[in-house]
Amino acid sequence: MNYSPSDKSLRATDRVVEGISSLLLSLKWKPAIRFQRSSSRCRHVAEEIHRLAYIQEPGLFDFRQNVGDYQLIVLDRMEDPVTPLLSQWTYQAMVHEILGIKNNKVQLRHSLNDEKEIVLASSNDSFYQENMFSNYGDLGLAVKQLVDNFQAISKMNKQIESIDDMHRFIESFPEFRHQSGSVAKHVNLISELSKIINEKSLMTVSRAEQEVVCGSDRVLAFDLVMDLLADNKVESGDYFSSSNEKINGHFCQILPFECLKLALLFILRYGGHGNKQVDEVMTALTLRNLDQLSLNLVRNFGKVVGSTINTECLFWNQNFFSRASKLVGDLKGAENVFTQHQPLLLQILDNILKGRLKEADYPHVGEVFPKDGKSRHVILFIVGGVTYEEAKFVANANQSRQGLRVILGGTTITNSQAFVQDLRSIANTEQSAT
């Protein structure tokens, strides 16, 4: 979507420019600057940074580096509205999606003990550092192993029969206390996540989301969406099953917010066709007691996201991932129906690595360098917010040893709640302007 210079989102441009410029100075980078052509706010940010680094303060940014080794690429969140709308199933992304992470802190609403807030930081939590990108299934096994290891240590520490045993226990006590806290924290966190996933039938919703975004059967996707929008009670449990099966002895209903996300994803994928299916989805959604602002968003979604979105790239052939496997590593459990989606950022990373990022789509501000389009050091900055799913792929790219170092940043770290709220605000502005 294009934003005029008077849009209130551009009032924060100075702060964004200052933040990116401070990063460049701390890294001692003077990069080539590119931006997403379809976004006027990306152009504005890129031009302001170029003006500062190349015109106003060229001496401040003179680091005698190899020309072309560094690139800054400014992207717009609206180019890929799919990624922040999807349910997440890796540890870090799942916590932020379901509970929210703010300043490395997570609020627990259903905790049975006094601990209602926990700190989640990879810098001082080895378990989190090792498992932050693990999927939901592997995460359960990892937590079980963590508990088993702690139980073994606890049993050993109870066997104090000599002075040497007491000395050994005292020396290991700080680590013992630290591990005890880590076990309690992650067990409580996984328990909280599991409870909410079951209550909201998020795995059922996620299966429909992935079918809409990644599937090739439009009829199946439509049937799944309409079934969930119909306000039918669905089974609550750890896994998706047929509508005739009850899991864990109770049923629940899909919440209106999850229905809104499903409708938006379906309209993104198939709305351009303008056929009866989209109309039926919108009609079904009006029966789910959504507020007027959300209904306005659905009706004006095309205007909100803009007409420049390349749906062919956004809903790209998943076979592309096999060609990009060297960049991000093998996708463990690729057959997992809940984790089929790959963000658009993965395509951009692959094109950067190969020097194929098109000038027509991502033009330079000022001089075009390097001439072959390849850079070893890249900053990707997303105006409108970055997701933890995208952060996972960037981390994999940095570990792939392909000679590419990527720093990912954005105006915020978003999730579906925050992103939909942004969309609602834009829709309200669009309606007020008409």
Side-chain angles (χ1 to χ4, degrees), residues 99 106-111 113 115-118 185 188-189 192-193:
L99 299 174
V106 180
Q107 301 292 329
L108 301 180
R109 297 188 295 272
H110 299 96
S111 178
N113 54 38
E115 190 175 30
K116 300 297 183 181
E117 181 182 87
I118 62 173
K185 176 172 68 175
N188 287 340
L189 189 52
E192 179 98 353
L193 291 172

Side-chain angles (χ1 to χ4, degrees), residues 39 41 63 143 187 217 242 259 290 305 319 348 361 363 378 385 423:
S39 171
R41 60 179 181 173
F63 301 119
V143 170
V187 168
D217 190 336
S242 67
C259 293
L290 287 171
V305 299
N319 288 334
I348 295 173
D361 298 327
V378 178
L423 294 175

Side-chain angles (χ1 to χ4, degrees), residues 15 67 98 105 223 264 310 422 432:
R15 184 176 179 183
V67 176
I98 297 175
K105 295 179 181 179
D223 289 342
L264 294 177
N310 189 337
D422 289 342
S432 300

Side-chain angles (χ1 to χ4, degrees), residues 185-203:
K185 176 172 68 175
H186 290 288
V187 168
N188 287 340
L189 189 52
I190 296 299
S191 176
E192 179 98 353
L193 291 172
S194 179
K195 182 179 180 65
I196 296 174
I197 288 169
N198 290 341
E199 286 179 348
K200 297 183 178 180
S201 286
L202 294 183
M203 299 195 90

Side-chain angles (χ1 to χ4, degrees), residues 126-408:
S126 59
F127 179 84
Y128 182 59
Q129 184 181 43
E130 293 170 4
N131 293 279
M132 58 197 299
F133 300 136
S134 297
N135 64 51
Y136 190 33
D138 292 340
L139 185 61
L141 296 176
V143 170
K144 182 181 183 303
Q145 185 63 49
L146 181 69
V147 173
D148 290 344
N149 292 342
F150 179 70
Q151 287 178 334
I153 294 173
S154 299
K155 184 177 180 180
M156 182 177 63
N157 285 334
K158 289 179 181 179
Q159 299 174 351
I160 300 177
E161 300 176 350
S162 67
I163 297 297
D164 290 338
D165 290 339
M166 282 188 274
H167 181 69
R168 174 182 51 79
F169 175 75
I170 293 300
E171 286 185 336
S172 64
F173 186 68
E175 178 62 27
F176 178 76
R177 287 191 62 185
H178 176 76
Q179 190 163 356
S180 173
S182 178
V183 170
K185 176 172 68 175
H186 290 288
V187 168
N188 287 340
L189 189 52
I190 296 299
S191 176
E192 179 98 353
L193 291 172
S194 179
K195 182 179 180 65
I196 296 174
I197 288 169
N198 290 341
E199 286 179 348
K200 297 183 178 180
S201 286
L202 294 183
M203 299 195 90
T204 303
V205 174
S206 182
R207 179 181 184 271
E209 291 173 351
Q210 294 290 327
E211 186 61 41
V212 169
V213 173
C214 302
S216 58
D217 190 336
R218 177 173 175 169
V219 174
L220 174 59
F222 174 72
D223 289 342
L224 284 172
V225 170
M226 290 301 293
D227 186 51
L228 296 182
L229 295 185
D231 199 19
N232 294 325
K233 291 185 177 181
V234 298
E235 59 279 8
S236 173
D238 291 333
Y239 300 97
F240 181 87
S241 64
S242 67
S243 59
N244 296 323
E245 184 179 357
K246 181 169 61 175
I247 300 179
N248 292 346
H250 65 282
F251 294 95
C252 70
Q253 291 179 309
I254 303 300
L255 297 180
F257 179 74
E258 307 303 332
C259 293
L260 174 61
K261 290 199 303 174
L262 278 172
L264 294 177
L265 288 169
F266 190 86
I267 293 170
L268 269 174
R269 180 78 189 269
Y270 300 112
H273 297 272
N275 66 11
K276 186 179 178 182
Q277 285 182 334
V278 174
D279 294 336
E280 289 184 27
V281 168
M282 296 180 68
T283 300
L285 194 63
T286 60
L287 303 177
R288 292 307 311 268
N289 298 321
L290 287 171
D291 60 276
Q292 192 59 45
L293 201 55
S294 295
L295 294 176
N296 289 341
L297 168 60
V298 176
R299 296 189 186 100
N300 299 294
F301 197 35
K303 295 180 180 178
V304 171
V305 299
S307 58
T308 58
I309 287 182
N310 189 337
T311 55
E312 184 177 343
C313 291
L314 194 57
F315 301 102
W316 50 318
N317 190 328
Q318 295 301 304
N319 288 334
F320 167 84
F321 187 77
S322 63
R323 300 196 298 273
S325 60
K326 290 184 178 180
L327 175 65
V328 298
D330 293 332
L331 178 62
K332 184 178 181 181
E335 72 280 356
N336 190 332
V337 71
F338 305 107
T339 57
Q340 300 174 73
H341 172 258
Q342 312 297 333
L344 183 64
L345 191 71
L346 180 57
Q347 258 191 80
I348 295 173
L349 284 174
D350 186 67
N351 287 331
I352 291 171
L353 181 66
K354 297 175 180 177
R356 295 178 181 174
L357 198 63
K358 295 181 180 179
E359 183 71 19
D361 298 327
Y362 302 93
H364 284 76
V365 180
E367 183 182 357
V368 177
F369 61 86
K371 301 301 182 182
D372 62 359
K374 294 182 180 181
S375 294
R376 295 186 298 112
H377 305 277
V378 178
I379 296 175
L380 297 175
F381 188 88
I382 303 180
V383 179
V386 66
T387 68
Y388 279 123
E389 181 183 1
E390 290 161 330
K392 178 190 71 173
F393 282 99
V394 167
N396 289 341
N398 286 330
Q399 295 173 3
S400 65
R401 298 180 181 178
Q402 294 295 305
L404 184 66
R405 178 191 178 191
V406 183
I407 297 175
L408 180 64

Side-chain angles (χ1 to χ4, degrees), residues 92 95-96 100-107 117-124 128 132 185 388 413:
Q92 184 184 48
V95 171
H96 188 51
I101 303 174
K102 186 175 182 180
N103 298 326
N104 289 336
K105 295 179 181 179
V106 180
Q107 301 292 329
E117 181 182 87
I118 62 173
V119 176
L120 205 59
S122 58
S123 58
N124 59 9
Y128 182 59
M132 58 197 299
K185 176 172 68 175
Y388 279 123
I413 301 176

Side-chain angles (χ1 to χ4, degrees), residues 29-33 48-59 61 65 67 70 365-367 369:
W29 289 14
K30 187 176 183 178
I33 301 172
E48 288 300 309
I49 295 174
H50 180 269
R51 181 178 294 109
L52 178 64
Y54 286 86
I55 300 175
Q56 293 179 350
E57 301 288 349
F61 288 83
Q65 61 194 24
V67 176
Y70 304 87
V365 180
E367 183 182 357
F369 61 86

